[in-house]
Amino acid sequence: MTVPSGARYQVGTVHFTVLNDGVFYSDAGAVFGIIPRVLWERVSGPLDERYRIPLALNCLLLRSEGKTILIETGIGGKPGDRDAASPAADGTLMDALAAAGVRPEEVDVVINSHLHSDHCGWNTVVDERAPQDAPLERRVKLGFPNATYYVGAAEWRDATHPNERTRGTYFERNLTPVADHLMLVDGELDITGEVKFVPAPGHTEGHGTVLIHSGRESAIYVGDLAQHRVQLERTVWVSSFDLLPLLSMETKKQLVDRAIEQRSLLIMTHSPYPGVLRPTRNERGFRELLDVSPLEA
Ligand SMILES: [Zn+2]
């Protein structure tokens, strides 16, 4: 199965392309947290034979004010990065980037919503010139050598000081070379006049979203605020991966309700590719996310 890459959308005068880094599998019970299986299995879609749900890895490419910007870098391609992705790992971000006509050296800005391993994998790649006997974390180089990497300040602090619970997802191999090319973001930050980093705590304390806005139109890359769309529709459905579940509920409520009001698109990392959705309220007043088709080629 080949997943198509490069779904294009437009917000005002800004074009963006969703790039596909494939799919990985995560324990469905963990994704749906305290929600009973009898409820989530109505919406989860098919699981694999180990009760895992396929999660897409949607990244975003756009040009704004002369800058080439990549939002999120997927699960990566270094040894170990895709272990959890098996058996279906179609698509890689670097192939999708090449298909979109962009070389890694041409990326000026990388924005990570947070630094869990399925969101920042291609931040780094294996450096073939490094001594082969060195540990992997010392054999990596930047995946985007000319980029400035934008990350929430609290996220960088937590990723570089993992605790017993977070150690399994904050990998040194995704972080070390980035340290000298970082822009730590505290609060909201305009990266260009059309692209803004907006803190959205809950999944982690330092988690951020990215607002793309032009004229009266906007889109929000929501990162891991939710792994499944139902978690944005019913905000009490919180994943057990969220470190701050009560805050996560509040952040989701505010973000989705404002998006409905302002007719913003929402772009989900883990919804099936391309994961671009329009939030609305259905006739019963409940939040509902509808798929948005890409522009014709
Ligand atoms: Zn994730």
Side-chain angles (χ1 to χ4, degrees):
M1 181 183 73
T2 306
V3 182
S5 224
R8 293 187 312 113
Y9 292 83
Q10 187 169 358
V11 163
T13 57
V14 179
H15 290 81
F16 66 84
T17 303
V18 185
L19 303 182
N20 169 32
D21 194 39
V23 173
F24 83 112
Y25 285 77
S26 190
D27 183 83
V31 166
F32 291 106
I34 60 166
I35 302 301
R37 178 171 177 166
V38 288
L39 293 181
W40 62 248
E41 68 186 358
R42 296 180 197 159
V43 297
S44 66
L47 309 181
D48 76 356
E49 69 289 353
R50 292 160 72 187
Y51 310 107
R52 299 180 305 177
I53 184 171
L55 298 180
L57 295 158
N58 300 317
C59 309
L60 227 66
L61 175 71
L62 63 113
R63 295 262 309 159
S64 172
E65 298 177 355
K67 288 192 165 77
T68 299
I69 300 175
L70 180 62
I71 303 174
E72 217 82 318
T73 66
I75 206 163
K78 302 179 293 298
D81 282 353
R82 299 192 91 83
D83 286 358
S86 126
D90 305 295
T92 86
L93 176 60
M94 290 306 195
D95 293 344
L97 193 66
V102 175
R103 289 180 295 122
E105 307 81 58
E106 292 172 319
V107 175
D108 302 300
V109 170
V110 170
I111 309 170
N112 292 129
S113 68
H114 66 305
L115 296 167
H116 286 169
S117 60
D118 55 317
H119 294 256
C120 65
W122 289 103
N123 274 11
T124 61
V125 293
V126 171
D127 184 353
E128 302 297 348
R129 290 174 309 176
Q132 289 303 299
D133 52 352
L136 180 59
E137 53 276 15
R138 275 187 250 132
R139 279 194 292 122
V140 286
K141 60 179 183 180
L142 292 180
F144 307 97
N146 300 315
T148 302
Y149 289 67
Y150 288 72
V151 180
E155 184 65 19
W156 182 261
R157 177 202 65 203
D158 291 347
T160 51
H161 300 83
N163 58 38
E164 281 169 279
R165 172 156 173 181
T166 62
R167 195 167 290 147
T169 189
Y170 285 137
F171 297 144
E172 237 181 293
R173 62 176 186 262
N174 293 332
L175 306 175
T176 315
V178 175
D180 296 328
H181 302 265
L182 260 184
M183 177 66 80
L184 293 181
V185 187
D186 211 356
E188 294 190 359
L189 180 74
D190 287 312
I191 295 170
T192 71
E194 298 158 330
V195 179
K196 187 199 280 266
F197 186 96
V198 181
H203 182 63
T204 66
E205 187 187 330
H207 181 277
T209 54
V210 184
L211 171 68
I212 303 161
H213 59 102
S214 168
R216 288 192 185 170
E217 295 184 358
S218 57
I220 304 167
Y221 186 89
V222 304
D224 245 351
L225 207 53
Q227 281 90 54
H228 190 283
R229 71 166 77 189
V230 72
Q231 295 164 329
L232 292 178
E233 293 168 338
R234 302 174 206 169
T235 49
V236 293
W237 287 45
V238 172
S239 150
S240 62
F241 297 115
D242 286 10
L243 294 176
L244 304 161
L246 295 179
L247 187 53
S248 176
M249 281 167 50
E250 216 32 63
T251 301
K252 289 194 294 180
K253 228 176 275 174
Q254 285 176 21
L255 183 139
V256 178
D257 287 349
R258 188 182 298 176
I260 292 171
E261 213 177 282
Q262 302 187 341
R263 296 188 51 77
S264 298
L265 298 176
L266 298 179
I267 306 142
M268 294 193 67
T269 310
H270 295 312
S271 247
Y273 179 84
V276 179
L277 304 160
R278 163 126 11 235
T280 178
R281 282 193 185 274
N282 64 21
E283 62 286 357
R284 290 192 297 156
F286 296 123
R287 299 179 187 94
E288 191 174 340
L289 269 61
L290 307 172
D291 286 296
V292 180
S293 304
L295 301 171
E296 298 291 324

